[in-house]
Amino acid sequence: GIQVEQSPPDLILQEGANSTLRCNFSDSVNNLQWFHQNPWGQLINLFYIPSGTKQNGRLSATTVATERYSLLYISSSQTTDSGVYFCAVGGSQAGTALIFGKGTTLSVSS
Amino acid sequence: KAGVTQTPRYLIKTRGQQVTLSCSPISGHRSVSWYQQTPGQGLQFLFEYFSETQRNKGNFPGRFSGRQFSNSRSEMNVSTLELGDSALYLCASSLGVDRGVILFGPGTRLTVL
């Protein structure tokens, strides 16, 4: 099956700093989503981005499907950005079945 | 529009018992999928339902089962609970199979003693 690797595993930032999270996947995908899991366990969908670039406020994401990676950019980080960021992918036969990476744990301090 | 709802939010069971978890998708969403999250294995896909039919199943034993009703609400059942079944069970909904944004509910935290 498709392998998903996220880096870095942990990230510690001061408020206001920028960061880039990376997601590599081992095969072609037609579904890629980024999620933020808050301390209460809720998974929030950040982007549905199987290819191209999207922006939403301080967050943006880029997926280069031909090179099998995606990047999540967080600018001017805030303490509320803390949590775990997951990349999840699905192949053409997967329906909505997503394969999740192990996540990047982000800690933002004031 | 209300989000994905899951009940109950917390559950404590003992080994050997069975449990049923419920999920109501976002209105208009016809696809419901279930995931298990544990510290050791991370987030793993359990199964997916669309229009009352199981479309996809993950690599879990037969003790894990599910169903979807005509109103798109879904239930999952775990029989003969084991300690290793302790996990956060997350339900997600989307418009259809392989159709865009997938939205998750708050989860049911199951503890097996």
Side-chain angles (χ1 to χ4, degrees), chain B residues 2-52:
Chain B
V4 179
T5 58
Q6 292 187 243
T7 57
R9 294 292 313 278
Y10 302 91
L11 206 49
I12 300 176
K13 292 285 188 179
T14 56
R15 279 182 301 172
Q17 289 186 307
Q18 74 167 16
V19 65
T20 299
L21 312 181
S22 180
C23 171
S24 292
I26 290 171
S27 177
H29 283 194
R30 297 170 63 192
S31 174
V32 173
S33 50
W34 289 88
Y35 291 80
Q36 181 197 64
Q37 185 176 27
T38 59
Q41 299 300 317
L43 278 150
Q44 294 183 286
F45 170 75
L46 278 157
F47 27 64
E48 172 198 12
Y49 289 87
F50 180 78
S51 293
E52 302 178 65

Side-chain angles (χ1 to χ4, degrees), chain B residues 67-99:
Chain B
R67 58 178 176 169
Q68 186 180 32
F69 302 95
S70 58
N71 62 357
S72 294
R73 190 177 70 85
S74 177
E75 290 181 347
M76 68 163 282
N77 184 275
V78 187
S79 63
T80 319
L81 284 166
E82 301 177 359
L83 296 179
D85 297 333
S86 294
L88 180 66
Y89 290 88
L90 293 158
C91 169
S93 81
S94 64
L95 278 172
V97 174
D98 191 26
R99 294 274 294 276

Side-chain angles (χ1 to χ4, degrees), chain A residues 17-69:
Chain A
N18 302 327
S19 61
T20 301
L21 283 59
R22 187 177 180 101
C23 171
N24 293 331
F25 42 96
S26 61
D27 205 345
S28 60
V29 299
N30 64 354
N31 190 348
L32 189 147
Q33 315 213 12
W34 283 95
F35 296 92
H36 174 220
Q37 189 167 41
N38 64 25
W40 298 273
Q42 175 79 55
L43 272 171
I44 307 297
N45 192 298
L46 299 175
F47 293 103
Y48 167 67
I49 187 165
S51 63
T53 297
K54 290 185 177 180
Q55 180 157 8
N56 184 3
R58 297 181 295 104
L59 302 182
S60 63
T62 295
T63 297
V64 184
T66 53
E67 297 188 22
R68 299 181 184 169
Y69 73 89

Side-chain angles (χ1 to χ4, degrees), chain A residues 4 6 23 29 31-35 86-90 98-101, chain B residues 35 104:
Chain A
V4 182
Q6 291 186 243
C23 171
V29 299
N31 190 348
L32 189 147
Q33 315 213 12
W34 283 95
F35 296 92
F86 289 101
C87 168
V89 305
L98 295 175
I99 299 168
F100 281 78
Chain B
Y35 291 80
F104 280 84

